[in-house]
């Protein structure tokens, strides 16, 4: 039997207000994007003004369309409601703090309330309608993606990212390998080994240190780097002078062969990175600074130079509040006041949230800062989120496009998240790099007379040492270390 009736139901739900969407958007913006956003708000909202060094609003030219005041009761009431909501959304943190002093600090709720959007309902990524359109990857993003899929160890991946940062628009590596090794606290031979892996990235010839090396990599890929071509590549200055007789002599070929070789050389790409348009190179400005603290530990501080300084122009609002007569004018004044208060508070709490997350990451990775890349700890978003009382999605937004300047260089906050290998006895996890080093040591011992270890035997020995790892993972690590299979190693030992 069909019928109509009224029912009252009570339930809980998260209302994603425009202000909440703005808070989420601000959190994930880089410092350059944030500056552009604030510029737009300054143009749109007449109540906002830049803050000068003394903490006062910069003087604004008197114009007929700019007349407002925060002393108006209606504006204060509307803004107060948004302020109360903002207090619920964010946690507090000091502008600069010592990590060692806050290790036992009680976790604060922080952004956990609004960051819970990621747990259900609309996906956080779908909340921002103003996200930029899809674009092609830049050269550096293209290389970083290949580095992430190259089966490198945690430490080697960190080295690869440091090398990629040294690549110019043409695709050439301009940094000194010795400087990278010194900064990351590892050996020069290891940096050279990682660079050799990077030379296998696309486009061919990328990350070469000179034009001859770039051409050499492309010729090797085409299987055309024979002794004659090697001599030609090593004597490009003769080619530039059109000294064909000299080239025929050093290459040991006749005129016809030399003509073919030069044609092959001209078919190569001397600037492999030029095919990537992407964005113009911009100076990397860190959001956070990490310095040794004289009292011990590390001092984590926001880079105040990157923080937009805006405030609500109360004097200006006072001029217009009394002049507003119609309901439309009063509503406009109240809306501008509410939006201005919200933006000022959101910017302040965004800075505190970044500092909070960065401080916890530094506390977790203090061994890397002190001793080098070999000491990167296994770390994931959940570990940091649980430690500071935030949701993983919040930590993910904070660590995107945010950079920290450390004594070992400038890194994106996401750099510090590394894979972990579980312990078979329920104890502490092991870093992937430490496990790879152990596997390498086991196999190197074979040359000293020990039996050749199969992948299954390596799994057994690692489990006896408290490391829970699958056979396919051992095989993957062994291949990443460029170590042959046990069958091939047995054959090599017999031949030796």
């Amino acid at each position: 039997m069909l019928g109509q009736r009224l029912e009252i139901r009570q339930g809980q739900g998260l209302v994603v207000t425009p202000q909440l969407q703005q808070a989420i958007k601000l959190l994930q913006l880089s410092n350059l994007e944030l500056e552009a956003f604030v510029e737009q708000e300054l143009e749109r909202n007449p109540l906002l003004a830049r803050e000068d060094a003394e903490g006062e609003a910069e003087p604004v030219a008197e114009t007929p369309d700019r007349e407002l005041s925060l002393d108006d009761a209606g504006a204060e009431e509307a803004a107060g409601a948004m302020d109360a909501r903002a207090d619920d959304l964010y946690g507090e943190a000091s502008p600069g703090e010592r990590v060692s002093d806050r290790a036992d600090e009680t976790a604060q709720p922080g952004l956990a309330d609004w960051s819970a959007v990621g747990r259900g309902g609309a996906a956080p990524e779908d909340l921002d309608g103003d996200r930029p359109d899809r674009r092609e990857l830049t050269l550096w993003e293209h290389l970083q993606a290949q580095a992430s899929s190259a089966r490198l160890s945690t430490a080697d991946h960190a080295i690869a990212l440091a090398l990629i940062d040294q690549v110019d628009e043409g695709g050439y590596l301009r940094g000194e390998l010795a400087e990278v090794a010194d900064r990351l606290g590892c050996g020069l031979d290891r940096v050279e080994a990682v660079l050799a892996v990077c030379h296998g990235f696309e486009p061919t010839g990328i990350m070469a240190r000179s034009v001859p090396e770039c051409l050499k990599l492309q010729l090797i890929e085409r299987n055309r780097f024979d002794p004659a071509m090697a001599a030609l590549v090593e004597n490009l200055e003769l080619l530039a002078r059109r000294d064909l007789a000299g080239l025929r002599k050093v290459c040991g070929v006749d005129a016809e062969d030399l003509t073919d070789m030069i044609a092959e050389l001209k078919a190569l790409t001397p600037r492999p990175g030029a095919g990537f348009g992407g964005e113009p190179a911009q100076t990397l400005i860190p959001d956070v600074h990490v310095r040794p603290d004289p009292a011990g530990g590390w001092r984590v501080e926001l880079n105040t130079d990157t923080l937009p300084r805006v405030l609500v122009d109360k004097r200006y609002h006072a001029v217009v509040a009394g002049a507003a007569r119609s309901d439309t004018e009063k509503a406009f004044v109240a809306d501008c006041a509410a939006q201005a208060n919200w933006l000022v508070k959101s910017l302040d709490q965004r800075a505190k949230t970044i500092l909070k997350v960065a401080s916890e990451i530094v506390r977790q990775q203090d061994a890397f800062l002190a001793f080098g890349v070999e000491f990167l700890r296994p770390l994931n978003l959940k570990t940091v989120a649980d430690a500071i009382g935030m949701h993983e999605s919040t930590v993910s937004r904070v660590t995107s496009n945010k950079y920290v300047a450390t004594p070992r260089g400038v890194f994106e906050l996401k750099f510090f998240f590394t894979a972990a290998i579980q312990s078979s006895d329920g104890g502490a996890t092991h870093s992937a790099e430490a496990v790879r080093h152990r596997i390498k040591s086991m196999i190197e011992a074979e040359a000293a007379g020990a039996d050749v270890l199969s992948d299954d035997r390596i799994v057994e020995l690692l489990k006896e040492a408290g490391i829970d790892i699958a056979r396919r993972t051992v095989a993957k690590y062994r291949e990443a270390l460029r170590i042959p299979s046990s069958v091939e190693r047995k054959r090599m030992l017999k031949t030796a």
Side-chain angles (χ1 to χ4, degrees):
M1 183 175 179
L2 299 176
Q4 294 181 338
R5 63 178 180 177
L6 295 175
E7 289 185 353
I8 299 177
R9 294 183 179 179
Q10 186 177 17
Q12 292 182 338
L14 179 63
V15 179
V16 184
T17 64
Q19 290 75 28
L20 183 55
Q21 292 185 38
Q22 185 187 74
I24 294 173
K25 177 179 178 179
L26 291 181
L27 196 61
Q28 61 194 14
L29 294 181
S30 66
N31 48 25
L32 294 176
E33 293 169 338
L34 181 65
E35 181 65 29
F37 174 81
V38 170
E39 285 294 335
Q40 293 177 356
E41 291 299 306
L42 285 168
E43 295 177 3
R44 188 184 67 84
N45 193 331
L47 279 184
L48 283 172
R50 285 196 176 278
E51 181 182 355
D52 61 19
E54 285 72 33
E56 298 182 356
E58 293 181 355
V60 181
E62 295 295 334
T63 56
D65 62 338
R66 180 179 173 86
E67 301 176 343
L68 299 172
S69 166
L70 286 185
D71 295 328
D72 178 71
E76 285 288 359
E77 181 178 356
M82 300 191 99
D83 288 348
R85 174 61 176 156
D87 287 334
D88 292 337
L89 297 183
Y90 296 98
E92 298 295 329
S94 60
E97 57 187 87
R98 277 184 22 208
V99 178
S100 55
D101 290 343
R102 60 181 303 278
D104 299 326
E105 177 185 324
T106 303
Q108 300 173 0
L111 295 175
D113 296 337
W114 66 262
S115 66
V117 175
R119 300 174 189 169
E125 290 74 15
D126 297 331
L127 296 177
D128 182 9
D130 297 327
R131 297 189 71 180
D133 295 334
R134 292 185 179 274
R135 56 172 174 77
E136 293 183 1
L137 291 177
T138 65
L139 171 62
W140 299 275
E141 291 168 340
H142 179 64
L143 294 175
Q144 288 166 0
Q146 293 181 82
S148 297
S149 59
R151 293 184 175 182
L152 294 169
S153 68
T154 300
D156 288 348
H157 182 253
I159 295 171
L161 293 181
L163 291 173
I164 290 170
D165 286 342
Q166 306 284 338
V167 176
D168 65 12
E169 291 86 349
Y172 285 90
L173 182 67
R174 296 306 185 191
E176 293 293 334
L177 300 190
E179 186 275 332
V180 174
D182 181 65
R183 179 160 57 87
L184 295 180
C186 60
L188 177 60
D189 56 343
R190 183 161 195 175
V191 177
E192 291 173 341
V194 173
L195 179 59
V197 175
C198 295
H199 281 162
F201 293 171
E202 292 293 336
T204 307
I206 202 70
M207 298 180 71
R209 287 162 288 182
S210 63
V211 173
E213 185 177 38
C214 177
L215 300 177
K216 173 184 175 181
L217 292 171
Q218 295 177 61
L219 289 166
I220 290 175
E221 196 261 345
R222 299 183 181 198
N223 196 27
R224 288 292 298 122
F225 193 68
D226 53 30
M229 189 64 80
L232 176 60
V233 170
E234 292 172 1
N235 292 274
L236 292 178
E237 69 281 357
L238 295 180
L239 181 60
R241 297 200 304 263
R242 305 297 298 172
D243 185 358
L244 301 184
L247 285 175
R248 288 196 298 270
K249 181 177 181 180
V250 297
C251 295
V253 296
D254 57 26
E256 184 179 354
D257 287 339
L258 181 62
T259 301
D260 293 340
M261 291 167 60
I262 293 175
E264 283 188 65
L265 215 58
K266 290 181 177 180
L268 303 178
T269 305
R271 287 173 55 85
F276 290 79
E279 301 170 348
Q282 297 174 329
T283 303
L284 191 62
I285 302 175
D287 300 83
V288 181
H289 287 290
V290 176
R291 301 181 179 90
D293 194 301
W298 303 92
R299 187 162 188 83
V300 184
E301 298 173 335
L302 289 171
N303 182 1
T304 55
D305 293 338
T306 67
L307 301 178
R309 296 176 178 272
V310 296
L311 48 73
V312 183
D313 193 343
K314 296 184 179 181
R315 289 178 296 180
Y316 179 48
H317 182 230
V319 176
V320 236
R325 296 291 180 263
S326 66
D327 290 342
T328 302
E329 292 174 347
K330 292 179 180 178
F332 174 73
V333 172
D335 180 63
C336 287
Q339 292 293 337
N341 275 291
W342 176 267
L343 179 60
V344 171
K345 184 174 288 290
S346 294
L347 290 173
D348 178 62
Q349 301 300 339
R350 171 188 179 274
K352 293 176 180 177
T353 305
I354 292 174
L355 179 65
K356 190 173 188 127
V357 173
S359 297
E360 178 60 24
I361 291 175
V362 169
R363 190 179 72 84
Q364 295 277 356
Q365 298 290 11
D366 62 333
F368 161 74
L369 296 173
F371 305 112
V373 70
E374 293 282 0
F375 294 86
L376 275 172
R377 290 183 55 192
L379 187 63
N380 54 36
L381 293 173
K382 187 176 186 304
T383 301
V384 174
D386 291 346
I388 60 179
M390 294 183 182
H391 191 263
E392 289 179 55
S393 62
T394 303
V395 177
S396 177
R397 291 187 185 94
V398 170
T399 54
S400 296
N401 301 314
K402 310 297 187 305
Y403 292 84
V404 54
T406 74
R408 296 199 175 275
V410 179
F411 304 95
E412 188 176 9
L413 287 176
K414 283 189 179 296
F415 167 87
F416 296 98
F417 294 102
T418 62
I421 305 297
Q422 295 298 321
S423 172
S424 60
D425 57 6
T429 58
H430 306 269
S431 72
E433 173 57 27
V435 175
R436 288 185 182 91
H437 181 73
R438 188 181 291 249
I439 292 172
K440 183 179 180 181
S441 299
M442 289 179 177
I443 295 175
E444 286 177 347
E446 296 172 352
D451 294 336
V452 175
L453 301 174
S454 65
D455 290 345
D456 288 323
R457 180 54 181 160
I458 292 175
V459 170
E460 294 175 0
L461 294 173
L462 290 175
K463 287 188 176 180
E464 291 175 5
I467 302 173
D468 187 11
I469 189 171
R471 180 188 178 281
R472 62 179 179 276
T473 306
V474 169
K476 181 180 73 173
Y477 287 177
R478 176 177 51 74
E479 292 169 0
L481 293 168
R482 301 181 181 275
I483 297 175
S485 66
S486 58
V487 174
E488 294 173 348
R489 298 200 307 275
K490 284 180 181 178
R491 186 180 302 116
M492 293 166 61
L493 287 174
K494 288 180 179 178
T495 302

